[in-house]
Amino acid sequence: MKNKLLSCILPSYRDPLLFKTIQSILDNAEGEVEIVGIFDGYYPSAEQIIEDSRVRYLHLGKNRGMRGAINAGVLASTGEYLMRADCHQSFA
């Protein structure tokens, strides 16, 4: 059952700015939000991971490409609404 207002889907393939994007959403989101960061066939370093109850990570064992990563994130989301963003954006 969907229970979050907004699920932010962030597919990533080795983008070093993914975690800055996640932090930007956390710092600026109003209301209930869930962030689904998707590691498309890679593992980031452990010190980069942002520990927050609003953030979930999904690791895809092998690279599925942009569309495959987005679809996996949508399936894993719990929000009533979806927002797909690039992993190198900032929000205000």
Side-chain angles (χ1 to χ4, degrees), residues 31-71:
E32 204 169 357
V33 66
E34 162 191 65
I35 301 169
V36 181
I38 301 131
F39 307 131
D40 191 11
Y42 78 101
Y43 289 101
S45 61
E47 63 269 1
Q48 292 178 300
I49 300 292
I50 296 172
E51 297 290 336
D52 188 290
S53 63
R54 299 171 289 175
V55 180
R56 293 189 303 130
Y57 298 103
L58 179 61
H59 175 264
L60 306 180
K62 68 180 225 177
N63 183 286
R64 295 188 194 177
M66 179 70 73
R67 184 175 294 151
I70 292 168
N71 289 339

Side-chain angles (χ1 to χ4, degrees), residues 4-11 18 21-22 24-26 28-38 54-57 70 73-74 76-86 89 91:
K4 301 280 185 189
L5 176 60
L6 177 65
S7 290
C8 302
I9 311 298
L10 299 174
L18 170 65
T21 301
I22 290 172
S24 176
I25 294 170
L26 292 173
N28 294 291
E30 294 183 15
E32 204 169 357
V33 66
E34 162 191 65
I35 301 169
V36 181
I38 301 131
R54 299 171 289 175
V55 180
R56 293 189 303 130
Y57 298 103
I70 292 168
V74 169
S77 69
T78 61
E80 183 177 355
Y81 301 100
L82 299 174
M83 177 182 85
R84 201 289 271 171
D86 290 329
Q89 293 181 301
F91 297 87

